[in-house]
Amino acid sequence: MRAQIDSAGGLRHLVTLEGLSRETLLSLLDRAENYRRIPGQPAYEGRELAGVTVSNLFFEPSTRTRASFDLAARRLGAHVLNMDMQSSSRVKGETMLDTVYTLEAMNTDVFVIRDTEAGLPEFLIDHVAPHVSVISAGEAHCSHPTQGLLDVLTIRTHKRRFEGLKVVIVGDIRHSRVARSTAQALTTLGVTDLRLVGPESLLPDENEFRGAQRFTRIEDGLADADVVMMLRIQKERMAVDASLDDAAYFRDFGLTPARLRLAAPNAIVMHPGPMNRGIEIDSRVADGPQSVIREQVNNGVAVRMAVLAAIAATLTRHRLPL
Ligand code: ASP
């Protein structure tokens, strides 16, 4: 795969957080903080993406990620094309690459792409023109880099540090691109106590999440945790015969107020959405005082602005002169 960072140290593409340095992660978080506006404040409006065309290609459903990439690009002055890929030529048999070349011919500078196929963002990085950038908005079960960044930004905002934090991720970790990206960022930023909780069948393979502790009882994983991250069961990524009983799952792994009391008193509760209330999380927790779930959404726009702005700054070195 072509490098995500160019020879001058600028962000060129973003398809995985793996291998990105602590400095790169921190500079994206700092940039995002600069763009962040809480609901009620006027949104940041800038020209960092003036003259840049961003094409959003979503082949999988998305609410938060798609809306926030769209808003982020517009708030920085980009031209934005939101392709409805359900009705695009891909269903007529045009290959993904032909779609990309078609939009490149219309001066797309940045592709934001989500697909069920593993490896597609990396493949595109190797095939787009030298002046074009690729950002992954979710790659199969493998990676969701902007979600990882917004998660660590949310944690930094509340905890002001990464070293010494106890972070527990609960749920369908095996199929979660969010867990993979967030864990990569947390590890790079200095978290050493990372716990994975779920039924055996939903825990990842042993060779993944190196250094994390595994638990099959939520009570054990929650003990004194500073950050509790809940995940949805991703039935769409399971074999058709994978039948999970929702009520039994909630009984064994659902985050209830009583269970949350096992974590540190000021623990924060996170969820990337979409939430299934009453399956992985009790509404009293999702809407309770320790929940930062809507802050995650707010941070998602800021982080996507930061990534787009960093890439646009790098792009100026790679574009052709007039
Ligand atoms: N929205 C997240 C994702 O795209 C999490 C989920 O779908 O459960 O991976």
Side-chain angles (χ1 to χ4, degrees), residues 3-6 9-16 20 24 27-28 31 35 48-49 52-54 69 76 108-112 125 130-136 145-146 149 303-319:
Q4 298 193 106
I5 305 288
D6 78 354
L11 188 66
R12 189 75 186 77
H13 307 281
L14 183 64
V15 305
T16 177
L20 290 190
T24 300
S27 82
L28 287 170
R31 221 187 245 263
Y35 290 135
E48 288 86 330
L49 264 72
V52 171
T53 300
V54 177
F69 264 114
L76 294 178
T108 289
D109 302 290
V110 181
F111 285 101
V112 176
I125 284 184
H131 57 271
V132 170
S133 292
V134 178
I135 302 175
S136 167
T146 54
L149 288 170
V303 151
R304 288 166 183 130
M305 290 168 91
V307 168
L308 285 165
I311 281 181
T314 311
L315 263 180
T316 54
R317 284 197 288 279
H318 298 269
R319 289 175 117 182

Side-chain angles (χ1 to χ4, degrees), residues 65-314:
T65 307
R66 184 177 176 150
S68 56
F69 264 114
D70 189 358
L71 287 173
R74 287 178 204 278
R75 286 177 183 164
L76 294 178
H79 299 281
V80 183
L81 190 61
N82 285 307
M83 294 294 291
D84 177 3
M85 298 317 288
Q86 312 303 328
S87 62
S88 80
S89 289
R90 198 177 182 201
V91 297
K92 296 186 211 152
E94 187 170 271
T95 66
M96 162 68 83
L97 211 45
D98 283 332
T99 305
V100 163
Y101 290 154
T102 300
L103 296 171
E104 260 186 13
M106 297 181 192
N107 297 67
T108 289
D109 302 290
V110 181
F111 285 101
V112 176
I113 184 139
R114 168 176 286 198
D115 198 59
T116 45
E117 207 180 302
L120 189 75
E122 291 85 344
F123 173 81
L124 288 183
I125 284 184
D126 289 337
H127 288 82
V128 290
H131 57 271
V132 170
S133 292
V134 178
I135 302 175
S136 167
E139 173 190 358
H141 63 283
C142 313
S143 134
H144 195 346
T146 54
Q147 177 77 41
L149 288 170
L150 78 88
D151 285 346
V152 293
L153 176 60
T154 307
I155 293 170
R156 184 171 85 164
T157 303
H158 284 270
K159 301 295 172 192
R160 310 304 320 165
R161 70 195 158 102
F162 292 103
E163 287 79 10
L165 278 188
K166 300 179 179 69
V167 180
V168 58
I169 307 180
V170 184
D172 182 5
I173 297 159
R174 171 170 282 273
H175 300 101
S176 176
R177 54 192 175 205
V178 174
R180 286 179 176 78
S181 285
T182 302
Q184 282 160 1
L186 286 171
T187 305
T188 305
L189 293 170
V191 169
T192 50
D193 188 342
L194 179 64
R195 306 158 183 189
L196 311 178
V197 175
E200 199 64 58
S201 61
L202 297 183
L203 288 176
D205 289 342
E206 290 290 338
N207 60 354
E208 289 197 279
F209 295 85
R210 287 284 167 92
Q213 302 176 73
R214 290 150 187 266
F215 300 91
T216 50
R217 264 177 42 91
I218 185 170
E219 291 78 8
D220 298 337
L222 282 174
D224 291 328
D226 301 297
V227 176
V228 183
M229 187 183 298
M230 304 306 293
L231 298 174
R232 177 178 72 90
I233 298 176
Q234 292 152 87
K235 293 191 175 167
E236 74 276 20
R237 297 195 204 292
M238 296 179 185
V240 265
D241 62 346
S243 54
L244 265 162
D245 175 349
D246 292 345
Y249 184 83
F250 184 67
R251 185 194 63 221
D252 295 339
F253 293 98
L255 188 62
T256 58
R259 282 187 172 138
L260 182 55
R261 283 195 284 276
L262 299 170
N266 59 351
I268 54 169
V269 175
M270 303 173 67
H271 194 306
M275 270 190 288
N276 288 310
R277 293 165 181 264
I279 300 180
E280 70 268 9
I281 192 164
D282 188 308
S283 275
R284 287 168 297 171
V285 174
D287 303 323
Q290 288 168 267
S291 169
V292 296
I293 295 168
R294 279 181 230 154
E295 284 176 47
Q296 287 175 267
V297 177
N298 181 253
N299 283 331
V301 181
V303 151
R304 288 166 183 130
M305 290 168 91
V307 168
L308 285 165
I311 281 181
T314 311

